[in-house]
Amino acid sequence: MPEIEIALRVNGRAAQWRVQPGETLLEALHAHHLKGTKLICGTGDCCGCGVILDGRSINSCCTLAAQADGAELLTIEGLSQDGSLHPIQEAFAEEGAAQCGYCTPGFIMRAYAFLQEHPHPTEADVRAALGGNICRCTGYVKPVAAVLRAAEMMSS
Amino acid sequence: MLNITAYHCPTTISEAVALLAEEGCAVIAGGTDLLVNPRYMVGVREVVDIRKLGLDYIRHEENWLCIGAGATMRTVARHPEAQGLAHGVLAQGAALCASPNIRNTATLAGNVASALPSADTPPALLVLDAQVVLTGIQGERIVPLEQFFTGPGKSAREHELIRELRIPLDTTRKMGGGFYKIYRTAEDISIVNAAASLLVREGIITMAHLVLGAVAPIPLRARKAEEALLGQSPTEENLRQAAEIARDETRPISDQRASADYRRRTSAVAALRALRQAAGLAKIEEVWQHG
Ligand SMILES: Cc1cc2nc3c(=O)[nH]c(=O)nc-3n(C[C@H](O)[C@H](O)[C@H](O)COP(=O)(O)OP(=O)(O)OC[C@H]3O[C@@H](n4cnc5c(N)ncnc54)[C@H](O)[C@@H]3O)c2cc1C
Ligand code: FES
Ligand code: FES
């Protein structure tokens, strides 16, 4: 099968990847040792595989790697700076918003894209914004609190 | 890993349609149906990405609102014109599709191309008298959306690209509209949905469109209900009667989301709520604000 060469920026660094035509972006991330992004449903339903592609949160399990050619990609690995956690990550830890933690990268990437556009959200805004992220453990109260806390931390 | 043997990303429409003329070659737009639902991959070996064709526009051309095949649900839901047209019926349909992550890539044209009876934007597009602009190696043709759907997952499209969808503005500008979706979770596919548009002159309904989703093999135009509304005043009582007529026009099936009986009963509820919005009797929830 003819491999495709794609050029993109991953977490701020230029990258050249060789991918298969039928390879999903999620599979390509894993193949390039970026395993923080999780495969959960694989059908677009849970948003657990969320990454930021050109500023928008998307599900990497239902996007082809080839579609990311030329894009700026941000994954959960790219959030912390110089060894210190991003405020959203910190807020998730402080609120106890991760239990098994499997859904957490997806929640955090979705929250990241959302807070870029809505720095001062209400709780209803946060609940609507996280509407597609599925979590089997927390019951959503703590992830919502964490995003509200992160919004405060980021604006102070 | 999907069984795809070639990925194409053409930069001109003529290249794209030449590729699509081949057997086994399918468009990939957002990929949220194609890569997820195996029924769309049947017989597909190669994909043609349309993101470099410059089709992500929403623009005016004379008296038409033209929505290019690259426009995502997010773009449509947030577009001021879509929000203003017939109480924002199309923006509502787009904003209630799936989750924010899906809406960031899923396209309006992809929703139409998939031709699922439960899809959320076809009813809204139908009550706005939308047309489908199809491009193939033979050239371009325009099909009224009304004649586009032929069965679940089936349409009048042959090896063609949907280049854009277009909505006539001269008639729709004066309409009231409404959309109502009955579903289980924030991102689930409709159990039943309904879109309505009404034109009211001096207290009398002079034009009525009512379309129900997920209650028939294709989005269902409730013609008897529409007829019953003509010449009436848009009162709660009259709208309720029309919604009940619409319910009796449905031909739903049972599946994992709901029984046929539940669908039939709730279709009257969805129809009435969409009609109330169209008549200005109910507040329109500006769901698109949440993006
Ligand atoms: C988790 C999840 C939730 C969803 N929820 C909803 C929902 O609530 N409501 C709803 O209506 N839908 C829903 N969907 C279905 C899907 O997101 C929509 O149908 C979407 O609009 C499809 O658009 P796309 O750009 O992703 O299409 P793609 O997946 O890229 O394509 C779909 C099909 O159409 C063809 N195609 C696409 N664009 C064109 C074109 N321009 N010309 C010719 N052919 C074309 C493709 O070849 C393919 O067969 C959901 C999907 C998922 C995964
Ligand atoms: S793993 Fe991608 S949406 Fe669930
Ligand atoms: S913390 Fe376990 S699924 Fe969310």
Side-chain angles (χ1 to χ4, degrees):
Chain A
M1 215 168 283
E3 281 193 340
I4 306 162
E5 179 126 4
I6 63 169
L8 67 171
R9 291 182 70 78
V10 184
N11 298 330
R13 290 211 193 117
Q16 301 264 351
W17 289 356
R18 297 187 77 78
V19 299
Q20 302 288 334
E23 192 170 345
T24 65
L25 180 56
L26 179 60
E27 287 167 332
L29 285 169
H30 288 181
H32 290 85
H33 309 291
L34 291 161
K35 296 186 179 172
T37 307
K38 301 295 181 240
L39 170 63
I40 305 176
C41 68
T43 52
D45 289 281
C46 76
C47 299
C49 60
V51 297
I52 314 282
L53 193 73
D54 289 332
R56 300 276 156 81
S57 58
I58 63 142
N59 292 338
S60 59
C61 74
C62 46
T63 303
L64 290 179
Q67 290 177 286
D69 186 25
E72 178 84 44
L73 182 66
L74 181 67
T75 69
I76 190 72
E77 289 89 348
L79 282 191
S80 63
Q81 296 283 327
D82 308 320
S84 52
L85 292 180
H86 187 277
I88 305 175
Q89 294 172 305
E90 231 174 276
F92 266 70
E94 283 169 16
E95 291 287 343
Q99 287 184 23
C100 80
Y102 223 70
C103 68
T104 310
F107 269 84
I108 290 179
M109 298 318 283
R110 174 66 199 130
Y112 178 91
F114 169 67
L115 291 176
Q116 299 283 328
E117 286 188 309
H118 306 270
H120 307 289
T122 63
E123 184 183 329
D125 295 338
V126 172
R127 286 188 175 272
L130 297 179
N133 289 77
I134 291 178
C135 172
R136 198 70 184 87
C137 305
T138 62
Y140 303 100
V141 172
K142 290 179 176 182
V144 170
V147 176
L148 287 166
R149 182 174 183 143
E152 262 174 47
M153 289 161 69
M154 287 163 75
S155 59
S156 64
Chain B
M1 184 96 52
L2 286 127
N3 189 14
I4 296 172
T5 56
Y7 165 88
H8 307 275
C9 194
T11 52
T12 65
I13 290 187
S14 52
E15 269 177 272
V17 296
L19 286 162
L20 290 172
E22 302 292 324
E23 209 52 56
C25 218
V27 169
I28 182 165
T32 65
D33 274 325
L34 188 74
L35 303 178
V36 166
N37 189 336
R39 72 188 288 172
Y40 296 102
M41 282 300 297
V42 173
V44 175
R45 291 185 312 275
E46 305 190 3
V47 293
V48 181
D49 191 340
I50 59 169
R51 75 194 157 97
K52 290 190 180 161
L53 300 181
L55 297 177
D56 50 358
Y57 56 82
I58 300 186
R59 67 185 180 215
H60 276 244
E61 269 171 41
E62 290 161 20
N63 256 333
W64 296 89
L65 183 67
C66 302
I67 304 175
T72 61
M73 293 297 184
R74 173 194 158 101
T75 308
V76 174
R78 292 181 175 220
H79 199 270
E81 190 109 24
Q83 292 177 356
L85 202 58
H87 297 153
V89 56
L90 179 60
Q92 283 198 63
L96 287 170
C97 268
S99 60
N101 282 9
I102 296 280
R103 289 195 296 274
N104 279 339
T105 56
T107 59
L108 183 72
N111 202 213
V112 170
S114 289
L116 289 182
S118 58
D120 286 319
T121 63
L125 286 163
L126 281 163
V127 302
L128 293 172
D129 289 326
Q131 301 185 341
V132 188
V133 180
L134 293 165
T135 309
I137 43 172
Q138 316 281 9
E140 200 145 275
R141 64 184 178 121
I142 294 173
V143 179
L145 188 59
E146 177 82 60
Q147 290 159 26
F148 183 77
F149 301 111
T150 54
K154 295 203 175 76
S155 71
R157 186 173 67 85
E158 327 237 1
H159 295 284
E160 287 157 307
L161 172 74
I162 297 181
R163 183 173 66 75
E164 69 179 24
L165 294 153
R166 47 184 222 166
I167 296 167
L169 289 173
D170 41 0
T171 46
T172 54
R173 256 206 194 106
K174 299 180 204 95
M175 289 175 180
F179 180 80
Y180 199 85
K181 172 170 175 172
I182 294 178
Y183 55 132
R184 276 192 58 236
T185 66
E187 62 159 356
D188 205 6
I189 289 172
S190 287
I191 291 172
V192 170
N193 62 36
S197 64
L198 295 174
L199 200 57
V200 181
R201 283 220 184 94
E202 290 159 18
I204 298 295
I205 298 170
T206 56
M207 194 284 315
H209 283 350
L210 179 61
V211 178
L212 291 161
V215 294
I218 62 171
L220 180 81
R221 187 87 191 261
R223 294 203 180 268
K224 289 185 187 144
E226 292 175 356
E227 265 163 43
L229 284 165
L230 290 181
Q232 304 281 322
S233 50
T235 59
E236 173 74 15
E237 183 50 33
N238 288 337
L239 301 186
R240 188 178 289 274
Q241 270 178 15
E244 283 166 14
I245 297 172
R247 176 195 59 207
D248 295 337
E249 292 182 74
T250 62
R251 290 168 280 140
I253 55 161
S254 297
D255 65 10
Q256 75 275 21
R257 285 197 175 76
S259 67
D261 188 47
Y262 182 85
R263 283 202 162 93
R264 205 182 65 80
R265 289 166 192 241
T266 50
S267 65
V269 177
L272 178 59
R273 291 181 182 173
L275 284 168
R276 275 187 192 140
Q277 291 175 23
L281 300 182
K283 197 175 154 285
I284 285 116
E285 249 193 276
E286 298 194 346
V287 284
W288 53 74
Q289 304 293 7
H290 293 300

